Amino acid sequence: NAGVTQTPKFRILKIGQSMTLQCTQDMNHNYMYWYRQDPGMGLKLIYYSVGAGITDKGEVPNGYNVSRSTTEDFPLRLELAAPSQTSVYFCASSYYQARTEAFFGQGTRLTVV
Amino acid sequence: TQLLEQSPQFLSIQEGENLTVYCNSSSVFSSLQWYRQEPGEGPVLLVTVVTGGEVKKLKRLTFQFGDARKDSSLHITAAQPGDTGLYLCAGLGRFGAGTRLTVKP
């Protein structure tokens, strides 16, 4: 099994550009999450989804959008990139929200200049 | 305000020493999880604690869930350089800021 796959691994964006970070999982998990991790810090929840067609805001949703059209895919969209969005982004999935392990992708390192 | 507060933020010790790191919240959790993250990688689950007062051991690591299910601790006995990393507690998809542990040979 591939687990959770994120693309791209690295990206440099100019201020005002837009991009989509891709995330796919092959474990048939209900829950999927997007986090950002700033240098030396923990993970902040951006958005999460409890299943196809259902998404909800996390702690830091401003400047981002998500969709969940299938169980497998959970893309994160940045519409107008800002320097404050420079971070490492992790996608994760789990079967339930509590008591079950969340599996993480390898991360996307995004720099906005 | 963090839902889960972790302390200390940084910890640097010599090989062979013991240490304890803490995860505290004002909220009650049905379970808490501990993850370890190494540079350039995503977090990897160490343990899930579910029952108030529960103690789980993973080799030299001992995890405890508070009786009121609002806090948890991780104790490492005889730390090794391989224990170096960022230790994160998590509940309901939310993470604490982590404790960055460095174990010097």
Side-chain angles (χ1 to χ4, degrees):
Chain A
N1 280 347
V4 178
T5 303
Q6 285 183 241
T7 56
K9 285 189 168 52
F10 302 93
R11 183 74 186 266
I12 297 174
L13 275 184
K14 293 186 178 179
I15 294 171
Q17 286 186 322
S18 62
M19 77 164 292
T20 299
L21 281 67
Q22 301 292 344
C23 176
T24 187
Q25 53 97 3
D26 62 359
M27 296 172 282
N28 202 33
H29 283 166
N30 298 316
Y31 285 80
M32 294 189 75
Y33 313 83
W34 273 106
Y35 296 91
R36 60 176 287 171
Q37 186 173 34
D38 297 329
M41 303 296 288
L43 284 79
K44 293 282 191 185
L45 181 64
I46 304 171
Y47 272 95
Y48 67 100
S49 168
V50 304
I54 306 170
T55 63
D56 210 344
K57 295 178 181 179
E59 301 162 277
V60 289
N62 291 345
Y64 307 95
N65 278 298
V66 294
S67 60
R68 183 103 181 262
S69 57
T70 67
T71 299
E72 295 78 20
D73 300 305
F74 190 42
L76 177 72
R77 179 89 178 153
L78 284 71
E79 289 293 350
L80 289 169
S84 61
Q85 293 177 305
T86 294
S87 191
V88 179
Y89 292 83
F90 287 99
C91 178
S93 73
S94 63
Y95 199 71
Y96 296 114
Q97 191 178 37
R99 304 190 181 201
T100 57
E101 179 175 3
F103 292 84
F104 284 80
Q106 289 292 300
T108 296
R109 187 174 295 275
L110 176 67
T111 303
V112 181
V113 295
Chain B
T1 304
Q2 288 269 148
L3 181 64
L4 292 163
E5 298 282 349
Q6 289 191 246
S7 61
Q9 190 176 354
F10 299 96
L11 189 56
S12 181
I13 61 171
Q14 292 295 134
E15 181 176 0
E17 292 184 357
N18 301 332
L19 67 114
T20 303
V21 299
Y22 301 91
C23 174
N24 295 291
S25 178
S26 57
S27 301
V28 176
F29 287 88
S30 61
S31 65
L32 280 178
Q33 297 176 318
W34 285 91
Y35 288 80
R36 190 173 94 178
Q37 185 181 23
E38 300 194 21
E41 302 287 328
V44 175
L45 181 71
L46 294 173
V47 79
T48 300
V49 286
V50 175
T51 306
E54 181 178 10
V55 177
K56 280 191 173 179
K57 289 182 186 283
L58 187 65
K59 296 183 181 178
R60 294 177 291 100
L61 278 61
T62 302
F63 304 84
Q64 186 160 7
F65 200 13
D67 291 340
R69 291 183 287 125
K70 292 183 178 181
D71 56 88
S72 182
S73 63
L74 159 59
H75 181 81
I76 301 179
T77 304
Q80 305 292 315
D83 296 327
T84 293
L86 180 65
Y87 289 82
L88 297 155
C89 68
L92 291 176
R94 266 69 168 177
F95 281 77
T99 292
R100 187 165 299 278
L101 173 66
T102 302
V103 182
K104 300 174 190 174

